[in-house]
Structures are given as C-alpha cells and as structure tokens.
Amino acid sequence: MKNKVTKIFQYDASDSLKFIQKYPNGYYSIVDDLGRVVEANNYTYFITKEGETITREYKNYSFYDSLNNQIGFIQMFINLEDPFRIITLKSFDYNSNKIKTVNLEENNEYESKFVFREEEIQRKKTFFGDTISINKFSKRTYSVSDSSIYLDLFYNKKDQIDSSIFHNSCIGKNGSNDCYIKTKYLYGKDNVISIKTIENYSETAKSNPLLKRKIIYHTNGLVKSVLTEFIDSGTKEFTKYIYYYDN
C-alpha cells in the first residue's frame, strides 16, 4: 500500500481514556499490499431487560481475487457461542456474465443454512458525467441520473482544487430542501493537502452550516485527525488516527 501502511487505528481523542475503556480494541482496519481492507472491526449495542447497555465487538473479513473483485465476506462476533452472522462467497463467470453466490441465511425459526443464487454481473455505474469548463478557474460536472445534482470545482493558480460546492437535495423539517456541501482545501509542502474543511448547508439555513468538519493531514497525505461539530446539538467529535507501517 502507499506509505506501507498495514494497519489503521482510530479513537475518540476528546476523551481517549473513556473511549479505550469502552472499546479496548478501538476501531481499526488492516490492509493488504494493494491497500484493500482485509480485516476491520466495529461494534453493536443492545439493551438488556434490566436496562443495561451491552457492547458487542464484531470483525469483518474481506477476500479478493486477482481482478480485485471482493469474492468473500465474513462477519464474526467476538466471544459468542454462534459467532458467525454473515458468510458470503462469490464466483465470477465472465463468459456467461454471471455471478454465483452462496450466503449464510437465517429463517424464521432462527435456523441457519447456506442459500445458493445466480445473478447478472452488475457493472459499476459512474455518478458524474463529463466535466464542463466554466472559465479558467472553475468547472462543473452533473450527475448522470439527475441534473439537479452537480458539483462545482474551483481551482487556484497552481491548477489545484481550491474549493468545491456539491449541490444536492436533502430532507429537512419542512420536507425536501436544496442542500449543498462546501469544501475548502489548503496545501502544504510539496503541494500535499494539509487541511480540508467541510460545511453542510441547507436552503433554510444558508447563513449557518448544519455541520462543520475539519480534516488535518500528515505530510505524507494520510489523515491525522478529524474534528466534527454538529451545530444544532452543539456536540463535537474529535477523532485521531494512528498508523502502523510495514518494516
């Protein structure tokens, strides 16, 4: 992988002690030599009859073929008698344009069995179409499926993206609204991005963003930390990333 990263660990830096006590393994991803995630963990929660919140950690394992297709996915819960929740295996037949899959599924009696299916290979669809040049320092590209969704790109004198505005629709208190996301970029040494700021707006709140996010990068381009502010609730999330490298 680029920068020889083999594992990515993220944690809540606003109260790291409390976070590690609750999530001793934190959130992590393990990547292979091609930068593909082969193992990652996450957590789920449920409340007991006594009102106690129980946290369960689970791991996701992904497998790929030589053409970079994901051909296997396994989800396994830690320390459970029946740890496997998802098992999916795929076989690609490009001559017949078919994918054969086998999935571990549970019926109404909570009995698990493997179910075999065959389906057409779904080709990846592009979200944006051709880019239109507005002037020397700005371009616009429209969504292939909906022309009301578009992205404006603004460039600096070094032909780097200085900022962008993504126009979309979102659901608010009064139904569907026109929304947009403003992103600004700052570059450091060797023209590598150092800071990216993101602000989410709605047509009903044009002067004040609904959400602010500041992403700080290391000099090698990897994310160092992310600060997110939720304006309505006044809450903040501060996440830091630790990288482990292949020696």
Side-chain angles (χ1 to χ4, degrees):
M1 182 188 178
K2 182 181 179 181
N3 298 312
K4 299 295 184 180
V5 174
T6 56
K7 184 176 181 179
I8 305 167
F9 180 86
Q10 65 182 84
Y11 66 97
D12 181 2
S14 58
D15 193 340
S16 58
L17 180 61
K18 182 179 178 181
F19 177 83
I20 295 299
Q21 287 176 340
K22 188 174 183 180
Y23 310 108
N25 292 324
Y27 288 90
Y28 72 85
S29 299
I30 297 176
V31 297
D32 63 12
D33 293 340
L34 298 178
R36 303 174 301 194
V37 176
V38 295
E39 179 184 335
N41 75 331
N42 209 323
Y43 299 87
T44 188
Y45 317 89
F46 66 92
I47 301 176
T48 64
K49 295 180 180 179
E50 293 75 24
E52 181 184 3
T53 301
I54 303 296
T55 302
R56 296 282 192 194
E57 181 185 10
Y58 62 90
K59 296 183 179 182
N60 295 327
Y61 299 90
S62 299
F63 307 90
Y64 306 86
D65 65 11
S66 60
L67 297 177
N68 207 31
N69 294 307
Q70 187 181 46
I71 59 173
F73 180 81
I74 296 175
Q75 186 176 96
M76 185 180 74
F77 277 74
I78 310 301
N79 300 324
L80 289 185
E81 184 177 349
D82 297 316
F84 297 104
R85 289 294 180 270
I86 300 175
I87 298 178
T88 299
L89 299 175
K90 296 181 179 180
S91 175
F92 289 79
D93 185 348
Y94 291 100
N95 292 326
S96 63
N97 203 39
K98 298 284 187 179
I99 303 176
K100 294 180 179 179
T101 63
V102 54
N103 296 301
L104 179 65
E105 297 184 4
E106 198 173 72
N107 59 25
N108 293 333
E109 286 75 35
Y110 299 103
E111 295 175 342
S112 297
K113 65 177 182 178
F114 286 100
V115 179
F116 293 82
R117 294 186 178 90
E118 186 176 84
E119 56 189 16
E120 297 284 338
I121 295 177
Q122 299 295 320
R123 304 298 180 182
K124 292 181 179 179
K125 297 180 180 179
T126 57
F127 185 80
F128 285 112
D130 295 333
T131 300
I132 303 170
S133 180
I134 305 299
N135 55 49
K136 184 178 179 180
F137 295 109
S138 65
K139 297 178 182 179
R140 175 174 292 181
T141 177
Y142 289 90
S143 167
V144 173
S145 59
D146 187 348
S147 60
S148 67
I149 301 173
Y150 59 96
L151 175 68
D152 285 324
L153 298 168
F154 304 94
Y155 295 80
N156 58 26
K157 293 181 179 179
K158 295 182 178 180
D159 203 32
Q160 299 168 316
I161 298 178
D162 177 76
S163 60
S164 67
I165 303 177
F166 176 64
H167 300 262
N168 198 0
S169 60
C170 61
I171 303 300
K173 295 180 180 179
N174 300 318
S176 178
N177 297 319
D178 290 331
C179 297
Y180 50 98
I181 301 172
K182 290 184 177 180
T183 305
K184 295 181 180 179
Y185 301 83
L186 290 177
Y187 299 89
K189 187 178 178 181
D190 298 326
N191 295 322
V192 176
I193 185 171
S194 59
I195 298 176
K196 180 166 68 175
T197 58
I198 302 171
E199 295 181 344
N200 292 41
Y201 291 85
S202 168
E203 65 176 355
T204 58
K206 291 183 177 180
S207 58
N208 296 308
L210 305 173
L211 177 146
K212 289 183 179 180
R213 180 169 287 128
K214 183 177 183 179
I215 305 172
I216 299 178
Y217 295 83
H218 290 285
T219 54
N220 60 7
L222 295 174
V223 175
K224 182 178 183 180
S225 63
V226 178
L227 174 63
T228 304
E229 299 181 60
F230 301 92
I231 306 304
D232 287 346
S233 63
T235 59
K236 296 181 180 181
E237 292 180 356
F238 184 38
T239 304
K240 282 190 175 182
Y241 294 80
I242 299 175
Y243 298 90
Y244 299 85
Y245 297 85
D246 185 12
N247 295 324

